[in-house]
Amino acid sequence: MTLLDNDRIAAGRLAHLDALESHAMFVMREVAAERERPVILFSGGKDSVVLLHLAAKAFAPGRVPFTVMHVDTGHNFDEVIEFRDRRVAELGVDLVVASVQDSIDQGRVADPGPGGSRNRLQSVTLLDAIAEHRFDACFGGARRDEDKARAKERIYSVRDEFGQWEPRNQRPELWQLYNGRVRPGEHLRVFPISDWTELDVWEYIAREQLELPSIYFAHEREVVERDGMLLAVNQWVVPGPGETPLVEKVRYRTVGDASCTGAVRSHSTSVPEVIDEICASVLTERGATRADDKFSEAAMEDRKREGYF
């Protein structure tokens, strides 16, 4: 392959990323024009990092006109929380932390106890925070290639007065004509990067030189192998009978509740190496690393019907 061929391929890929970026910023500007109190859901993960960056570009040189909200399970990776606080401070955006622990203390949800995942509990905390702050549109970083339920959901997704999603009642999306009207009590979930793939996200991160939490890159960590996943040993994941902790070189493909988010063995310490790794992988990121998605074939759809992201 000649140098000229490489240049042409690179040029085509950049055009592809330009198109994805342009559409995502168009969606964010449309929502800003139509709704009064949008919020960006920000976990500190790679997809929400891209989302926040897109918002900054879409409204530059002005300030990001949205509040940022993190639904915090209390079972976090320290590196992610440090990154979250630093990033919102750099951008000067307002951060709302909706705490699952507060929901447990208020009796809104039941504590699953030691070793239990709090992922599903986030739905109640999220819906309570939306009601408290009167948010009428929530930007999320979900992508269609992550899960079958996320593949079903439209870019503009209407949630009813109970925050629930009904797949059969979705609005048609004709070309790029989106309908942002909602009835009293309803709100929108909006997914500007729904059409992106995991590879698109990483190539965009490379192009824009975006910083990520360090756990996305290979590092040594004490883990335990459970149900085919490598879970970090910590106060929420304690080795049980027959389980032997190991120190492995791993990285994370997704960021979530530390009690149910698994690592993958990896030697990728840079963005280009991660991109090469993804190109060679035959496993989806959530299928490989999220225990809560393995409960059933419809695990994600069940959670989304309850109000999940």
Side-chain angles (χ1 to χ4, degrees):
M1 184 175 291
T2 66
L3 179 61
L4 182 60
D5 289 331
N6 281 326
D7 289 345
R8 285 173 175 163
I9 291 170
R13 197 61 189 164
L14 286 178
H16 173 65
L17 292 179
D18 286 340
L20 291 173
E21 178 191 70
S22 177
H23 177 249
M25 292 197 297
F26 163 77
V27 169
M28 300 186 100
R29 289 168 179 156
E30 283 290 293
V31 173
E34 292 174 320
R35 307 309 315 164
E36 294 183 358
R37 296 181 65 82
V39 64
I40 296 177
L41 302 178
F42 184 71
S43 65
K46 66 184 185 307
D47 300 313
S48 56
V49 167
V50 167
L51 208 58
L52 196 51
H53 178 72
L54 288 165
K57 288 191 78 169
F59 298 96
R63 182 173 178 266
V64 175
F66 312 121
T67 297
V68 168
M69 179 162 70
H70 180 209
V71 180
D72 180 358
T73 67
H75 293 173
N76 300 295
F77 294 98
D78 293 340
E79 300 95 326
V80 177
I81 295 301
E82 182 277 329
F83 174 84
R84 178 200 70 184
D85 293 342
R86 180 160 47 82
R87 186 65 183 132
V88 297
E90 288 169 353
L91 289 174
V93 294
D94 297 326
L95 172 67
V96 169
V97 177
S99 167
V100 170
Q101 183 61 54
D102 287 349
S103 297
I104 293 172
D105 294 342
Q106 295 162 9
R108 295 283 293 147
V109 292
D111 189 342
S117 169
R118 291 182 170 185
N119 228 21
R120 194 161 191 157
L121 308 185
Q122 293 179 91
S123 299
V124 171
T125 305
L126 170 63
L127 295 177
D128 286 349
I130 289 171
E132 178 186 351
H133 296 280
R134 296 181 290 110
F135 295 131
D136 54 10
C138 301
F139 291 107
R143 308 187 325 269
R144 288 189 170 120
D145 75 330
E146 291 181 86
D147 182 272
K148 294 185 288 294
R150 287 186 164 168
K152 280 185 184 179
E153 197 161 18
R154 307 288 168 80
I155 290 178
Y156 273 37
S157 178
V158 177
R159 301 303 176 101
D160 67 16
E161 63 270 35
F162 303 107
Q164 297 173 332
W165 175 60
E166 174 49 70
R168 291 168 298 185
N169 292 338
Q170 294 185 101
R171 292 172 178 164
E173 290 181 343
L174 304 176
W175 303 286
Q176 293 185 358
L177 301 177
Y178 302 116
N179 182 349
R181 285 175 292 186
V182 294
R183 291 188 287 263
E186 295 178 338
H187 69 272
L188 287 178
R189 301 289 176 87
V190 184
F191 305 104
I193 63 170
S194 180
D195 293 337
W196 298 38
T197 65
E198 182 186 16
L199 182 58
D200 292 330
V201 169
W202 275 101
E203 290 189 331
Y204 189 72
I205 287 167
R207 189 185 85 168
E208 301 292 304
Q209 299 184 334
L210 302 182
E211 185 183 356
L212 294 176
S214 58
I215 66 171
Y216 275 110
F217 303 99
H219 58 284
E220 288 193 341
R221 186 176 287 264
E222 186 178 33
V223 297
V224 63
E225 190 159 1
R226 181 178 298 170
D227 300 327
M229 296 176 54
L230 296 176
L231 298 178
V233 175
N234 51 45
Q235 59 266 52
W236 311 292
V237 179
V238 178
E243 293 180 334
T244 304
L246 306 166
V247 175
E248 295 274 5
K249 197 158 190 178
V250 299
R251 74 173 193 88
Y252 287 83
R253 290 178 69 177
T254 66
V255 162
D257 188 296
S259 67
C260 65
T261 302
V264 294
R265 291 183 176 89
S266 174
H267 292 281
S268 301
T269 57
S270 66
V271 173
E273 289 176 353
V274 170
I275 290 174
D276 289 343
E277 183 181 288
I278 292 170
C279 290
S281 176
V282 295
L283 295 174
T284 65
E285 61 190 290
R286 293 191 72 92
T289 64
R290 297 300 284 268
D292 51 325
D293 290 340
K294 296 184 176 183
F295 291 148
S296 72
E297 280 291 308
M300 174 66 80
E301 183 160 334
D302 291 343
R303 294 204 305 277
K304 289 179 80 69
R305 285 175 181 268
E306 296 170 356
Y308 192 72
F309 311 111

